[in-house]
Amino acid sequence: MSDHEYTPKSKAGKWFNDRLPLLTLANHLTDYPTPKNLNYWWTFGGILTFCLITQIVTGLVLAMHYIAHADMAFESVEHIMRDVNYGWLIRYIHANGASMFFLAVYIHIFRSLFYGSYKSPREIIWIIGIIIYLLMMAAAFMGYVLPWGQMSFWGATVITNLFSAIPFVGEGVVTWLWGGYSVDNPTLTRFFTLHYLIPFLILGLVVLHIWALHVPGNNNPVGIDVKKPSKDTVPFHPYIVIKDGFALLMFMIVFAFFVFYAPNILGHADNYIEANPLVTPAHIVPEWYLLPFYAILRSVPDKLLGVVAMLSAILILAVLPWLDTSKIRSAVFRPLYKQFYWILVADVLILGYVGAMPAEGLYLLIARVATAYYFLHFLVILPVLGLKERTIPLPLSITEPVLGGSPNMAMAKKNESKIE
Amino acid sequence: MSDKKPERRDFLFTATYAVGAVGAAAVVWPLVDQMNPDASVKALASTEVDVSSLKPGNTITVLWRGKPVFIRRRTQEEIDVARSVKMEDLIHPEKDEDRAKNPEWLVMLGVCTHLGCVPLNDKGDYDGWFCPCHGSHYDTSGRIRKGPAPWNMEVPKYEFVNSNTIKIG
């Protein structure tokens, strides 16, 4: 929060602000003190906001042409691609936008894991983030069903059947989700409705996510608290705005590459075949961003336990702030954690790879080892490491390592004023 | 709270919450139940299939309630194999005699009991069906033998209307 009271300069501004303090809010957002050592991994929050807005705008436009009916959905998507002005562009932005959204969210999540951003006092920000991530997966899954291709249909069948693993009520729950005895028109229309709704739920949660962030302020690469009053921070505008803007431009280059040069590379050719309830495609794979969890599901030979393992793999993240017993946030000062962090990154990538491969032979073995390691990391390594690890001493302030290593706070202060 | 004796007012509060909860549940139920299969979906309850052209060793797949149903006219060899299996070798023990009343005809939902894919005919380690999604193997009676599926493929209610026609449902 900005420490000073804000009063608008103009009389009209003051009149308005006394009645609805929107200008105070705008002032808070521009002046918001941000640690001055934020690196480019911190720009993905802004990039994700851009992704959400892009999906909402393109989705809104697509909904003007799409028809949510089992007999017409597939054709209406082809109609968008061939007949609607710029329909191909809008649909390719929306479809690849989902992948870009997940790319950015995974970087954002792994940044938090590296720098310990989920730790006290930022647990609520983290948990809201996990809920957003869950909603993103639900929205992406339902959106993938809408074109009513073969992968849409069979992906929907497999995922909704996960609920049949629930003891006793499972079959009833699946019938309720379907609105029938198989994935069919009632399923499609409700998925369309929910796919339309979820982005706005996410938008609301994003507001809470940022609100919760603005209470303690940003974490930073050093992972220590900002000293007040100090020269540790810069105002959000223009410093972070420019930095975020530059990162966003770089990100949009990658985005545009997919949209214009490889729009179907992240999809499956089978989804250009209309849904057929009598034939299952030979090789069903979810979209790339769900593959690690799919690998975990398939690595367990029991149906119910497979589903439980997959859900736990996601939900375990929500309790991460309490599993990690270390008080030191940044991996920079945790030499062992840093290594385990990179092993976890490799583990998730391996899970993603085997999730795309057939579940047999060596692939299945690798998936089982990687699944076991995933849980080992969160349930054993993190709690023990926090108690046993010998960490590197933390600097006294964010400014200190930049301005020369005086351990004396007064000296650091003096150096700071010299720079000015 | 703990030391105070309940007053008349506490009773009123509790009663109000209780009535409110019942009212809320009554409002929520229609909103939940509307998602269950509607009357038109339930109306499509049965299908009649002409099986006169089916030769031994062949399978046809028909759609019933949006789901594929396998109708297989089994060869004597397949029947013998299916009936000679010991119950203790089965994951979900069911006698072939109970699954196919008329041994020549096997009628079952062509839906893998793992996650609902359609298994492939004449495939797998038991020469019955094989599900390509997650690798479940079924025998010539449609019983699960290997893989993640927990149950045998389901036998729906069906009857022979006459010697050429099967009515499913």
Side-chain angles (χ1 to χ4, degrees), chain A residues 294-302 306 309 351 359 364 367-369 371-372:
Chain A
Y294 193 60
I296 291 173
L297 167 77
R298 296 194 306 181
S299 72
V300 182
D302 181 84
L351 278 173
L364 191 57
R368 285 184 176 158
V369 174
T371 298

Side-chain angles (χ1 to χ4, degrees), chain A residues 68-89:
Chain A
H69 189 283
D71 296 337
M72 287 178 272
F74 186 81
E75 267 178 54
S76 76
V77 171
E78 283 309 301
H79 161 73
I80 289 169
M81 294 301 288
R82 292 152 198 251
D83 304 338
V84 174
N85 300 332
Y86 293 105
W88 60 271
L89 177 65

Side-chain angles (χ1 to χ4, degrees), chain A residues 153-154 157-158 161-162 164 171-172 175-184 186 190 277-284 294 297-298 300-303 307 359-360, chain B residues 31-38 41-42 61-69 111-120 130 132-135 147-151:
Chain A
F153 184 88
W154 291 102
T157 301
V158 167
N161 262 304
L162 292 177
S164 71
E171 294 295 327
T175 305
W176 178 73
L177 286 173
W178 286 340
Y181 304 104
S182 63
V183 172
D184 210 331
R190 66 190 56 179
L278 293 178
V279 182
T280 306
H283 191 48
I284 293 197
Y294 193 60
L297 167 77
R298 296 194 306 181
V300 182
D302 181 84
K303 181 173 167 178
V307 175
E360 53 199 29
Chain B
L31 297 175
V32 171
D33 191 45
Q34 56 82 24
M35 280 175 68
N36 273 316
D38 60 37
V41 170
K42 284 181 182 159
T61 308
V62 296
L63 210 57
W64 172 65
R65 287 176 153 187
K67 278 181 178 163
V69 175
V111 176
C112 181
T113 56
H114 182 225
L115 294 175
C117 297
V118 180
L120 303 168
F130 172 72
C133 291
H134 307 97
W151 304 297

Side-chain angles (χ1 to χ4, degrees), chain A residues 26-35 38 42-43 45-46 49 210 213-214 218 233-245:
Chain A
N27 175 257
H28 162 73
L29 292 175
T30 45
D31 281 1
Y32 171 63
T34 320
L38 295 190
W42 260 266
T43 59
T49 312
I210 296 173
L213 168 71
H214 281 227
N218 291 68
T233 61
V234 290
F236 187 78
H237 182 76
Y239 297 94
I240 303 298
V241 169
I242 291 294
K243 189 163 184 153
D244 276 359

Side-chain angles (χ1 to χ4, degrees), chain A residues 320-391:
Chain A
L320 176 61
W322 295 275
L323 289 174
D324 187 345
T325 49
S326 174
K327 295 273 177 278
I328 309 295
R329 295 195 191 105
S330 175
V332 172
F333 304 101
R334 301 183 62 192
L336 281 176
Y337 173 73
K338 197 195 252 180
Q339 292 174 36
F340 283 114
Y341 169 85
W342 288 112
I343 296 172
L344 180 73
V345 173
D347 188 62
V348 171
L349 291 175
I350 289 168
L351 278 173
Y353 173 74
V354 294
M357 296 294 133
E360 53 199 29
L362 187 62
Y363 292 125
L364 191 57
L365 182 69
I366 296 173
R368 285 184 176 158
V369 174
T371 298
Y373 184 80
Y374 182 90
F375 287 105
L376 191 75
H377 176 91
F378 289 106
L379 293 176
V380 179
I381 296 175
L382 282 188
V384 173
L385 205 57
L387 305 174
K388 298 276 175 206
E389 187 176 28
R390 201 177 254 240
T391 55

